[in-house]
Amino acid sequence: MKHADIKEAAEALFNEQRSPFGAFSLGSDTHHAVTIPDAVRRCRWISVDINASAFGLYFVSPSPERARLVPCFDSDYPGVAVATKFISGANGEDIVRHSRISTEPRWWTGDGVAAMADMFGNLAWTGQMAPLTPGSSGIAFPVHADRGQCGLVVFLGSEIALAQDALYEIHARCFSLFAAVARMRPGDVGRMRSISKRELECLKLTANGNTSEEIARLLKLSVHTANQYLTQSTQKLNAVNRNQAVAKALRLGLIE
């Protein structure tokens, strides 16, 4: 099943008024009113359906040269799971490149879970990859949305159960979830303080995995000034940290 087929499957779920998020009906009002806590709950329902123990939703960074996954939320929300730090680091580079050109799911298994390796290995239209986090097992679903945004919905666990006939529906639910998150706008967007060009440049470079020192060098700024721009943009976006500010900026189309 290709990207167009997955999108078609998601649309079919909408048309049938079946909820790709679990118990809720996916009427347009519910779809557009989604918040991050809503999205976390709905991702948790998908996780329960496949018996995963953890999950995360990520945006793909805009830079083609420096591949990176930008975390939006994970199963430790409002905190950040240790696994997310690995996945949003260098471990995610290969799957980011894959996600930009394909929607084929990728899976991996740790030592001692041969039964799950057999289960994943029997799934059509999936491929194996190196572990996203050390000693873990899981499956990653590439997802795309409007404005060319793409991302990844990741499920972790040593006892994941996913039958072939459920694979496409789970992927369609991930597509729907990512589309809803990508469409989100903060309620006070009209009152949001204007973000300067320099602040956006710093956010974009952060999304591409650059450190404050690297941003300062690239923009010919002091490290203190680069950090100040990042702090200001984080405050203006009402985010709790840089990563959340980058995820919000990507969702809003402020950086591409």
Side-chain angles (χ1 to χ4, degrees):
M1 184 177 279
K2 298 180 180 178
H3 179 197
D5 299 321
I6 287 291
K7 289 189 76 176
E8 193 173 308
E11 288 170 7
L13 288 176
F14 296 161
N15 294 336
E16 293 169 12
Q17 292 298 298
R18 294 172 59 191
S19 170
F21 300 136
F24 286 172
S25 169
L26 191 67
S28 58
D29 291 342
T30 303
H31 188 51
H32 289 293
V34 69
T35 64
I36 288 293
D38 289 335
V40 172
R41 280 195 299 272
R42 294 167 183 182
C43 201
R44 184 166 285 117
W45 291 335
I46 299 174
S47 184
V48 167
D49 284 346
I50 64 172
N51 203 37
S53 57
F55 58 82
L57 185 147
Y58 305 81
F59 280 84
V60 167
S61 65
S63 171
E65 296 84 21
R66 199 160 184 172
R68 181 172 176 253
L69 289 168
V70 179
C72 183
F73 63 77
D74 60 39
S75 42
D76 279 10
Y77 178 85
V80 179
V82 173
T84 292
K85 296 174 183 177
F86 283 101
I87 293 172
S88 59
N91 286 12
E93 289 184 3
D94 289 341
I95 192 65
V96 164
R97 285 188 282 268
H98 169 74
S99 298
R100 285 181 172 144
I101 61 173
S102 173
T103 55
E104 182 182 78
R106 287 285 187 260
W107 58 268
W108 70 96
T109 58
D111 296 334
V113 285
M116 204 162 71
D118 290 341
M119 182 269 295
F120 280 140
N122 287 327
L123 292 175
W125 194 66
T126 65
Q128 189 173 7
M129 63 175 286
L132 279 179
T133 62
S136 71
S137 300
I139 186 166
F141 291 96
V143 283
H144 294 190
D146 294 338
R147 303 198 311 268
Q149 295 189 69
C150 59
L152 203 67
V153 183
V154 177
F155 297 97
L156 306 170
S158 59
E159 298 181 355
I160 292 175
L162 185 57
Q164 183 66 59
D165 59 359
L167 175 70
Y168 304 134
E169 182 178 0
I170 293 296
H171 202 169
R173 289 167 68 180
C174 291
F175 253 87
S176 301
L177 175 62
F178 184 71
V181 170
R183 260 205 249 16
M184 285 172 57
R185 297 290 184 272
D188 59 351
V189 67
R191 301 187 298 276
M192 189 171 64
R193 292 159 58 197
S194 176
I195 300 178
S196 71
K197 181 181 176 182
R198 265 294 193 235
E199 288 166 350
L200 289 176
E201 286 174 336
C202 290
L203 276 178
K204 184 169 183 176
L205 289 169
T206 300
N208 295 338
N210 291 284
T211 64
S212 295
E213 290 74 14
E214 291 169 329
I215 292 170
R217 187 178 69 253
L218 289 167
L219 298 181
K220 296 181 172 55
L221 305 169
S222 69
V223 175
H224 172 76
T225 301
N227 281 328
Q228 194 170 34
Y229 280 132
L230 287 166
T231 298
Q232 289 169 184
S233 58
T234 298
Q235 291 171 344
K236 290 177 181 180
L237 286 166
N238 194 28
V240 297
N241 55 41
R242 292 181 187 183
N243 270 338
Q244 191 183 82
V246 168
K248 281 193 172 186
L250 286 168
R251 283 206 320 267
L252 293 167
L254 298 175
I255 57 177
E256 298 177 350

